[in-house]
Amino acid sequence: MKREVMAASHKVAHAAYNRPSILKEIIYGIMAGLAAGFLWKMHHWNNQRRTKEFYDLLERGEISVVLKDE
């Protein structure tokens, strides 16, 4: 019984120490880069939208950047 447990634990330990696959690492890196790039692009799209809305409101005269004298 004890020998079977040792053999099973050896197989589990051996499976945990396989060397990493280079192709998997490259794919993971590309996917992480694309995800980060997409989030960065979404951030810039949001800033662009907000800037466009600001200048549209400014052009229509709904807002002003000049302080009113009281």
Side-chain angles (χ1 to χ4, degrees):
M1 174 85 175
K2 185 171 181 161
R3 188 174 184 140
E4 291 173 8
V5 171
M6 283 181 48
S9 65
H10 176 69
K11 287 180 183 178
V12 171
H14 181 67
Y17 289 117
N18 284 341
R19 62 181 209 173
S21 169
I22 300 300
L23 186 58
K24 277 186 187 178
E25 294 291 327
I26 291 171
I27 291 171
Y28 290 157
I30 289 171
M31 296 305 291
L34 287 173
F38 181 70
L39 289 174
W40 185 252
K41 194 68 175 172
M42 282 179 47
H43 170 72
H44 282 277
W45 287 335
N46 188 34
N47 283 345
Q48 185 179 19
R49 179 186 53 81
R50 290 172 58 202
T51 302
K52 184 178 184 297
E53 287 175 1
F54 171 76
Y55 282 111
D56 285 345
L57 290 172
L58 192 61
E59 187 176 312
R60 286 185 280 181
E62 294 182 22
I63 62 170
S64 175
V65 292
V66 179
L67 292 175
K68 292 182 182 178
D69 290 334
E70 293 184 36

